Amino acid sequence: GDGIEWEDGDILHANVTYAKGARALNAGALDAYEVKEVRMRWTNRITMRSRVKYQGNVYQILPETFHEDFHEDTLQFNMQLIINK
């Protein structure tokens, strides 16, 4: 592996939807189910390097889509399914 170990973190509530059309393709999705859009309240517990476990699958955050706004209390990002082969 890459020497990085991930540990389980907090359970957070978020609105998760499928990235569709050009947004999914621009995010590098080969399959529409691989990329999800996440909207949630701002938290400092999630960074661009975080991994997200959703419905039993592990996703990586796409850094170029990571937008946080402390003053508006929002955090939005796309995440892509990590496929271990």
Side-chain angles (χ1 to χ4, degrees):
D2 55 12
I4 297 174
E5 292 185 25
W6 300 98
E7 61 184 54
D8 287 340
D10 299 324
I11 295 174
L12 301 171
H13 296 277
N15 180 19
V16 179
T17 58
Y18 294 110
K20 298 178 183 85
R23 288 183 297 193
L25 293 175
N26 289 338
L30 300 176
D31 183 323
Y33 296 102
E34 290 180 5
V35 175
K36 306 254 188 301
E37 294 180 339
V38 179
R39 290 190 170 110
M40 61 188 297
R41 285 188 168 169
W42 181 87
T43 177
N44 63 356
R45 295 180 287 182
I46 295 180
T47 70
M48 286 184 248
R49 294 181 43 92
S50 296
R51 295 290 188 254
V52 177
K53 190 171 188 179
Y54 176 70
Q55 294 184 335
N57 295 310
V58 178
Y59 293 80
Q60 67 182 1
I61 293 174
L62 301 172
E64 64 276 9
T65 68
F66 192 84
H67 301 287
E68 57 184 335
D69 189 331
F70 174 76
H71 298 292
E72 294 291 324
D73 194 32
T74 60
L75 176 59
Q76 298 182 74
F77 56 86
N78 287 358
M79 59 186 188
Q80 186 170 26
L81 181 63
I82 297 173
I83 301 172
N84 296 321
K85 295 188 178 189

